[in-house]
Amino acid sequence: PADTPGAAQARARSPPAPVTDVAELCVCDLLVAQCDVNCCCDPDCSAEDFSLFTTCSVPVVTGDSRLCSQKAAMYSLDVEANPPERIFKIIDQVNPSIFCIHDTNYKQALYLKSPEIPTPENFDRLLEKFGGATFSAKPDSWNLDIDAQNPPDANETYRYEYGVPVQTEDAFLRLPSPVVSSWCSDANPAGFLVNQATKCIRSVSVEKCDSIQALSMLFYINSSILAVPKSSQMVNITVQSIVVQSQNGMRTLLNSSDVLRLPMVLDGLCINAVLGVNYHITHTDTGEIIEAAAAFVLGAISKEALSIEQSFEISFTQENTEPVPLSGNPGYVVGLPVRAGFRPQGYPFPAGFLSNKHSQLTILQSTSTQDCLAAQGARAPVLFGYNMISGCKLRITAAMKCQPLAQTLLDVLKGQSFPEYVASFGNSQAQDVLDWVPITQLHISEQMISNTLQSSCQIPVSLGIEVKWTKYGSLVNPQAKIVNVTVTITTTTLKQLPSGRERIIPITSSVVFTDISSPAEPSYKAWPTINIKLPFDFFYPFV
């Protein structure tokens, strides 16, 4: 309805509507859909959670401190109660300063308005308004009813951020997981960019398997995903593949995944029951989901089974990029490859490019022939925590030239493109310069292995890699971090052989991992010991 001058004047005389509710503000609420420890204002915490708190990390929550009078939310714990309870109350606070804000009647100053995006329709108008050397910042209208004319989110563009639950048309994308026990809970939301893998136990009944939603493929794909939060643009979940698992564990990939296979009872078995789901989400660099796919593992359940184990996994990939395999998150995992790279000229950070496509540190791979010249190009990845040794044999004849032979052996030991940096963590990103450790190279020369002729040259015979790592972070869950990598190339002097003579030289590569973690120091001082012999009846009459 049209606004009248009288209504506007009445609204100007009335107190302004509250902009923020201190009861809903919580600066220590950091985890999504989870209770933060000692955060007394966290709405996700229950009475049972409050009974385990030791203190309130944020005891007072206020709004704008420049206001002359404002509400304040007070939080405390009643430790004398059994169990302890949270005490919450709202009080009025008065600002003693004479320079304070009495009324917040200009609502446009209470939020950051997103700029209007130029389009072919509004370009001329924006150019006329802002195209000059100066322009006025005065708003077009001082009408107090700003919410009706230009709401705060009128031009706001939403996007997914890390950890935010992936929204669907009815709620959010569910990733079943065990909560308190090993039984599956369907209330676990899938967080954006949070790769997860869970396993849980599901109670089943063969007679009712066709009515158990969690056993049906439709339960996991029937809700479309919102491309961005609070939008009407939907992304359907497509079926990427279907694998059928027999009762003895053998898996078969179906040629067609277009037909949904719903659970049904056949010959006393519940067939087409969902045993595993693997979601793969593709997104843009601006946080918009553009594609979603699900791969299923279906199997049969016998009538004797009262429960089954289901596995769920979700991964995220940015469009037009290839997924980079990680070796831990964040610390290295034993048995996974050591990630490495080198810094090209003009780049401020190491690039993920090596002699192989996986950006890994590699060494010479042993072959059945043990011929060094035939083994050139064969590489094996260096696995974290595994000491390794490999080698080959080099047959030297008098016809071989020294310098080409030395370069060939160096290529055999180091590979075509030996890295310059090693990632200190298993999930180190290329742009994080401080997460990359430079490789130190040392050269050692051995004594001569032949004294027969005049001229001699240096050839490399071994390459040793020493990786020093330490335990980083909490003592409860320490993370493996690489702090130093040293490559030692050992060369030896080889004199030219007489005509018709030949010699066989062993060429070796090795990797050694050294834990340099310092032992944890106790947080208390040990009591001094007293070496005294007590009388035999000191504890009488107790034994």
Side-chain angles (χ1 to χ4, degrees):
D3 197 6
T4 61
Q9 293 177 1
R11 203 168 40 249
R13 291 190 299 267
S14 62
V19 178
T20 57
D21 185 1
V22 292
E24 298 178 359
L25 295 178
C26 190
V27 295
C28 58
D29 184 10
L30 304 179
L31 300 177
V32 178
Q34 297 184 38
C35 178
D36 292 81
V37 178
N38 290 339
C39 183
C40 295
C41 56
D42 192 344
D44 299 319
C45 298
S46 60
E48 291 78 7
D49 297 326
F50 293 136
S51 65
L52 302 177
F53 286 5
T54 58
T55 184
C56 289
S57 58
V58 180
V60 181
V61 178
T62 60
D64 193 346
S65 60
R66 298 173 298 177
L67 293 175
C68 299
S69 177
Q70 62 175 328
K71 299 289 185 180
M74 309 291 294
Y75 297 93
S76 60
L77 292 176
D78 184 5
V79 295
E80 297 181 355
N82 189 16
E85 300 176 349
R86 184 196 70 166
I87 301 176
F88 167 70
K89 59 182 178 180
I90 295 180
I91 63 174
D92 292 323
Q93 281 190 345
V94 178
N95 191 348
S97 175
I98 60 174
F99 301 102
C100 59
I101 300 175
H102 186 267
D103 285 331
T104 55
N105 53 3
Y106 178 40
K107 295 185 179 181
Q108 275 192 337
L110 300 180
Y111 60 85
L112 296 177
K113 179 181 177 182
S114 300
E116 188 175 0
I117 306 300
T119 62
E121 290 75 16
N122 63 5
F123 181 80
D124 294 336
R125 178 174 56 83
L126 295 178
L127 181 62
E128 180 181 358
K129 182 176 180 181
F130 302 105
T134 60
F135 57 87
S136 174
K138 181 179 178 180
D140 296 336
S141 174
W142 289 91
N143 194 336
L144 296 179
D145 194 8
I146 301 297
D147 291 338
Q149 296 182 1
N150 198 6
D153 57 351
N155 296 320
E156 184 176 357
T157 57
Y158 293 96
R159 64 173 184 175
Y160 282 107
E161 296 180 354
Y162 178 84
V164 174
V166 178
Q167 298 181 12
T168 60
E169 54 186 344
D170 53 357
F172 50 81
L173 183 63
R174 297 176 177 87
L175 193 72
S177 65
V179 181
V180 179
S181 62
S182 59
W183 297 99
C184 292
S185 172
D186 297 326
N188 178 44
F192 185 67
L193 296 184
V194 180
N195 296 333
Q196 300 183 63
T198 63
K199 289 184 179 180
C200 55
I201 305 299
R202 180 85 63 180
S203 177
V204 296
S205 173
V206 174
E207 292 78 8
K208 302 178 181 178
C209 79
D210 53 352
S211 60
I212 301 177
Q213 292 184 346
L215 300 181
S216 174
M217 294 176 58
L218 286 175
F219 180 71
Y220 305 97
I221 62 173
N222 59 355
S223 296
S224 299
I225 296 177
L226 303 188
V228 293
K230 302 181 181 180
S231 71
S232 58
Q233 184 179 356
M234 302 291 180
V235 177
N236 295 327
I237 303 177
T238 60
V239 179
Q240 188 178 34
S241 63
I242 299 177
V243 174
V244 177
Q245 177 176 305
S246 62
Q247 288 188 298
N248 59 6
M250 183 177 296
R251 295 188 174 187
T252 303
L253 177 63
L254 299 183
N255 295 329
S256 176
S257 58
D258 298 335
V259 180
L260 293 179
R261 292 175 171 259
L262 301 180
M264 57 183 299
V265 180
L266 181 64
D267 297 333
L269 297 176
C270 176
I271 62 174
N272 298 332
V274 174
L275 303 181
V277 183
N278 190 340
Y279 290 107
H280 185 75
I281 308 297
T282 304
H283 63 92
T284 64
D285 56 350
T286 59
E288 178 183 355
I289 295 177
I290 59 175
E291 187 177 347
F296 288 91
V297 177
L298 307 181
I301 306 174
S302 61
K303 61 181 180 180
E304 292 83 9
L306 300 178
S307 62
I308 61 171
E309 182 183 63
Q310 291 180 311
S311 60
F312 303 93
E313 188 173 351
I314 186 170
S315 59
F316 295 83
T317 302
Q318 184 176 325
E319 65 171 343
N320 300 326
T321 59
E322 295 183 0
V324 178
L326 302 181
S327 297
N329 189 22
Y332 275 97
V333 176
V334 175
L336 295 184
V338 174
R339 303 177 62 234
F342 67 94
R343 180 185 297 179
Q345 290 185 349
Y347 280 73
F349 48 80
F353 176 81
L354 269 184
S355 56
N356 57 49
K357 62 181 179 179
H358 297 299
S359 300
Q360 300 168 356
L361 186 63
T362 61
I363 64 171
L364 170 66
Q365 182 177 1
S366 299
T367 60
S368 58
T369 60
Q370 292 292 304
D371 185 359
C372 289
L373 299 181
Q376 188 174 5
R379 311 292 296 175
V382 175
L383 305 180
F384 182 82
Y386 287 1
N387 296 338
M388 306 169 64
I389 186 170
S390 62
C392 59
K393 295 180 180 180
L394 175 65
R395 186 183 302 272
I396 300 178
T397 62
M400 290 184 175
K401 301 296 183 180
C402 176
Q403 296 301 330
L405 177 62
Q407 185 60 45
T408 301
L409 288 178
L410 192 62
D411 292 341
V412 170
L413 291 173
K414 299 180 63 176
Q416 294 297 324
S417 298
F418 194 77
E420 300 175 352
Y421 294 85
V422 166
S424 58
F425 292 103
N427 66 346
S428 297
Q429 300 299 318
Q431 62 269 21
D432 298 331
V433 182
L434 298 181
D435 275 0
W436 293 82
V437 179
I439 298 177
T440 303
Q441 296 194 20
L442 302 177
H443 294 269
I444 300 177
S445 178
E446 286 185 347
Q447 73 278 5
M448 300 180 185
I449 64 174
S450 178
N451 312 331
T452 54
L453 287 184
Q454 306 91 343
S455 60
S456 63
C457 72
Q458 295 283 332
I459 62 171
V461 292
S462 69
L463 182 143
I465 303 176
E466 183 183 15
V467 180
K468 296 181 180 179
W469 64 280
T470 183
K471 297 181 179 69
Y472 181 85
S474 171
L475 294 177
V476 179
N477 185 25
Q479 303 294 310
K481 175 184 178 182
I482 295 177
V483 296
N484 180 267
V485 178
T486 303
V487 175
T488 303
I489 300 176
T490 303
T491 61
T492 189
T493 303
L494 175 66
K495 287 193 174 182
Q496 186 174 359
L497 295 174
S499 178
R501 296 280 299 275
E502 64 179 27
R503 184 180 299 275
I504 297 179
I505 301 176
I507 307 297
T508 59
S509 293
S510 62
V511 179
V512 176
F513 286 85
T514 305
D515 183 3
I516 61 172
S517 304
S518 58
E521 297 182 359
S523 58
Y524 59 89
K525 294 182 179 180
W527 289 99
T529 58
I530 303 177
N531 188 13
I532 296 178
K533 185 177 181 180
L534 299 176
F536 71 95
D537 58 349
F538 184 80
F539 295 102
Y540 182 82
F542 304 101
V543 178

